Amino acid sequence: RGALHDAFDFSELATNFGHNRTGSLTNRTHRHRAKQIWKGATDKQTSDHHRIIEAEDRMQLKPGMAVMAPGGKNLELKKGSHGYTCHVVPASPNSAVPSPSVNALFSSLANVGSGVLAVILTGLGSDGADGMAQLHKAGAVTIAQDEATSLIYGMPRSAIERGGVDEIVRLGDIPDRIVKYVMNGGRDH
């Protein structure tokens, strides 16, 4: 997962990704946009190949599933013997960090490293940059949306500046890049 944000239509990514039944997507968006994006994503579902659901604590990710973090809570993923499990964690009430937090999601996968593809898209601030740097250092493939197609370049720029990005990709090319990665069995080439 990446972390998807305001200017990106999550359902478009899920549509392009959903026919490949070997991977899962996770999404984090800020609370003020969660209901609007969630409604848009679920309104556009056209088949059972496009399961876009809100994460629940201890939910097991399944192939072809797209999961959104609940508004106001952080989503962390843990890898176990049966794949990945969602852990929904209350945000700290006094934290200046946005919730859901991209850093929380990405950092939870840093111990997995290779076999993870992380994507950071348009957004204000630097949320996700530290987590993406951790993933990059651990061997994950990391992608940032390019400046030309970003509504707000803060989050991708911060990740790039921290040295956590392998590739900078146009928004419209990101779904194909994800599918290519998944079709190669989680290998970059």
Side-chain angles (χ1 to χ4, degrees):
R1 168 153 164 36
L4 307 180
H5 202 347
D6 296 352
F8 189 73
D9 186 340
F10 185 65
S11 65
E12 292 299 319
L13 178 59
T15 298
N16 288 326
F17 181 78
H19 296 293
N20 181 308
R21 306 298 286 177
T22 62
S24 302
L25 298 173
T26 59
N27 176 1
R28 187 280 324 155
T29 190
H30 291 295
R31 184 177 196 168
H32 69 279
R33 292 281 293 149
K35 287 183 182 177
Q36 183 178 7
I37 291 172
W38 179 251
K39 179 169 177 23
T42 56
D43 285 350
K44 292 181 181 179
Q45 290 185 50
T46 58
S47 75
D48 63 4
H49 292 290
H50 309 123
R51 296 181 54 210
I52 305 170
I53 57 177
E54 187 170 85
E56 296 177 9
D57 197 41
R58 302 192 195 294
M59 174 188 293
Q60 189 78 29
L61 289 182
K62 295 181 177 22
M65 180 185 284
V67 178
M68 292 183 71
K73 296 182 180 173
N74 291 323
L75 173 61
E76 298 177 359
L77 297 175
K78 304 291 183 203
K79 186 173 184 180
S81 59
H82 299 290
Y84 291 92
T85 302
C86 297
H87 292 276
V88 177
V89 181
S92 172
N94 298 325
S95 176
V97 175
S99 178
S101 166
V102 180
N103 272 330
L105 175 62
F106 286 173
S107 295
S108 73
L109 291 168
N111 65 336
V112 177
S114 63
V116 171
L117 171 69
V119 180
I120 194 159
L121 302 173
T122 186
L124 183 64
S126 62
D127 185 29
D130 291 336
M132 184 163 267
Q134 290 173 1
L135 283 170
H136 177 75
K137 184 176 180 180
V141 175
T142 56
I143 297 173
Q145 182 179 349
D146 71 336
E147 185 172 11
T149 63
S150 291
L151 181 63
I152 301 171
Y153 195 53
M155 290 169 61
R157 176 180 316 184
S158 294
I160 293 163
E161 288 173 353
R162 285 183 175 82
V165 175
D166 293 313
E167 298 176 48
I168 301 168
V169 180
R170 277 184 16 50
L171 178 62
D173 295 334
I174 290 174
D176 288 339
R177 180 62 183 92
I178 293 170
V179 169
K180 178 181 173 187
Y181 176 84
V182 172
M183 296 302 287
N184 286 330
R187 294 180 307 277
D188 194 31
H189 300 290

